[in-house]
Amino acid sequence: MIERSTPDSGEGPATRRPPRRVESPPAVRVGDLLGGTYRVRRALGRGGQGEIVLAMDESLGRLVALKWLDSRDAGHLLDEGRHLARSPHPGIVSVYGMGEHAGAPFLVLEYMRGGDLRRWSSLFTDLPPVDHIVRRVVEVAHALEALHRAGLVHRDVKPENVLLAELDGHAKLADLGLSRRAGYEPSHRIHGTLEFMAPEVLRGETEAPARDVFALAVMTYLLLTGEVPWPIENRRNGDGPRRLHDAQIADPAPRASAHRPELCSAFDDALLAGLALDAAERPGPLAFAWGLEDALSFCASPRWRVLVVDDDPDFRALAAVSLQGELPRVEVSEAQTAAEAL
């Protein structure tokens, strides 16, 4: 949503330069003063619902992000502002207020210097370390848990909507423009980002928090492997939703451990729980994230080797099965005699 570029120096008003246009929103230039308070610095990027610019709040001496929508979409912007204001949480980007310029409204948001998770993941030579990814997922899960407790469904969880305070800082959930009350009956049009949609969303069912958990699991898989579980190529004539739904039903999600040898089946199982096709079988956001944490610790724990020595092969087999059932990380070997064991 917000891309980090060259850091801003100083906290005073912007240095005056010859006027140049900010690519978007229209009619806003670098150096413009909006609402008598916000001096435009530069364009930041585009969010799912609109354009974003960096500005200096000259009354308080702090940098802020201004999110600007076409006046036709003012309702979405107002919804986002209200949802942010009613759901204050350390893991959700703060809203400072609203303003208007040339008849078009804008939100005044907390400026997140570190950019979004997709950019963060691109900074690594290969893929981000698993423990770093899990830490981000836990942070987002806390924010989603708070949002769900407030009765809201985000509806667009993806790397671009998770922002970092600094490059390696705390992750915060952003872009609540599509969020709706749980139980909301969607219209014939589905909302969100296709690759992150759960099967029930593609079928047009009532909005529920479980769709956010599914999207969080897809995001986790993407950060771990560099691809989504069900990639849809060459979409034609709006057939993407149908093709994605068919793929989800026909093919189980691949195991992340196939891409990351440091992972084990316990982590695969924890991740696949969030990708369950039946919404009722998915854990809540924090249960999902904590499951990943526990599984990662389990995968990193050392393996124990146990040798079962007995001259009865049936007893040896029973003991081996029992040990492996109780202690999955145990590697069991068998020997008939002590001499053979040595």
Side-chain angles (χ1 to χ4, degrees), residues 276-287:
L277 299 185
D278 185 346
E281 294 180 359
R282 291 176 215 143
L286 274 177

Side-chain angles (χ1 to χ4, degrees), residues 124-162:
F124 295 88
T125 304
D126 188 10
L127 293 166
V130 177
D131 60 330
H132 288 208
I133 293 171
V134 171
R135 187 178 77 192
R136 301 299 183 207
V137 172
V138 171
E139 290 169 346
V140 176
H142 276 284
L144 283 176
E145 198 82 24
L147 206 61
H148 294 168
R149 282 200 303 269
L152 293 172
V153 181
H154 186 281
R155 302 207 304 167
D156 202 17
V157 177
K158 58 182 179 180
E160 291 83 355
N161 285 338
V162 178

Side-chain angles (χ1 to χ4, degrees), residues 37-182:
T37 300
Y38 306 107
R39 183 77 63 182
V40 177
R41 288 286 188 87
R42 57 183 169 85
L44 285 174
R46 180 173 180 81
Q49 291 291 309
E51 304 293 341
I52 304 169
V53 300
L54 178 68
M56 171 61 69
D57 181 342
E58 295 190 342
S59 63
L60 296 177
R62 66 181 175 186
L63 291 169
V64 295
L66 305 183
K67 184 169 183 179
W68 193 288
L69 293 189
D70 187 287
S71 58
R72 292 171 298 176
D73 296 318
H76 288 295
L77 195 71
L78 185 58
D79 286 344
E80 179 172 4
R82 286 171 173 167
H83 291 158
L84 286 167
R86 292 171 181 171
S87 309
H89 186 271
I92 298 176
V93 171
S94 297
V95 60
Y96 298 142
M98 294 191 72
E100 184 177 302
H101 180 72
F106 59 84
L107 277 181
V108 184
L109 302 169
E110 178 182 6
Y111 172 46
M112 304 292 285
R113 296 173 181 270
D116 62 45
L117 273 193
R118 192 177 288 274
R119 180 180 184 276
W120 170 80
S121 66
S122 72
L123 298 177
F124 295 88
T125 304
D126 188 10
L127 293 166
V130 177
D131 60 330
H132 288 208
I133 293 171
V134 171
R135 187 178 77 192
R136 301 299 183 207
V137 172
V138 171
E139 290 169 346
V140 176
H142 276 284
L144 283 176
E145 198 82 24
L147 206 61
H148 294 168
R149 282 200 303 269
L152 293 172
V153 181
H154 186 281
R155 302 207 304 167
D156 202 17
V157 177
K158 58 182 179 180
E160 291 83 355
N161 285 338
V162 178
L163 307 182
L164 301 175
E166 300 293 341
L167 262 183
D168 199 30
H170 187 79
K172 294 193 177 188
L173 190 62
D175 210 338
L176 271 64
L178 289 179
S179 60
R180 291 291 182 271
R181 286 279 167 193

Side-chain angles (χ1 to χ4, degrees), residues 179-260:
S179 60
R180 291 291 182 271
R181 286 279 167 193
Y184 173 80
E185 294 286 348
S187 64
H188 64 282
R189 180 184 172 192
I190 57 176
H191 294 274
T193 303
L194 181 62
E195 289 82 358
F196 298 85
M197 289 185 182
E200 69 273 14
V201 177
L202 297 169
R203 293 192 294 266
E205 296 179 9
T206 301
E207 298 291 354
R211 76 169 287 177
D212 287 343
V213 177
F214 188 91
L216 182 62
V218 172
M219 185 184 83
T220 305
Y221 189 96
L222 173 62
L223 294 173
L224 285 167
T225 69
E227 58 188 45
V228 292
W230 296 279
I232 302 298
E233 306 292 343
N234 303 319
R235 302 174 205 168
R236 301 180 303 276
N237 302 320
D239 66 350
R242 178 188 57 78
R243 291 175 58 198
L244 176 58
H245 186 268
D246 291 348
Q248 291 171 340
I249 300 302
D251 303 312
R255 291 184 169 266
S257 59
H259 299 262
R260 306 294 293 252

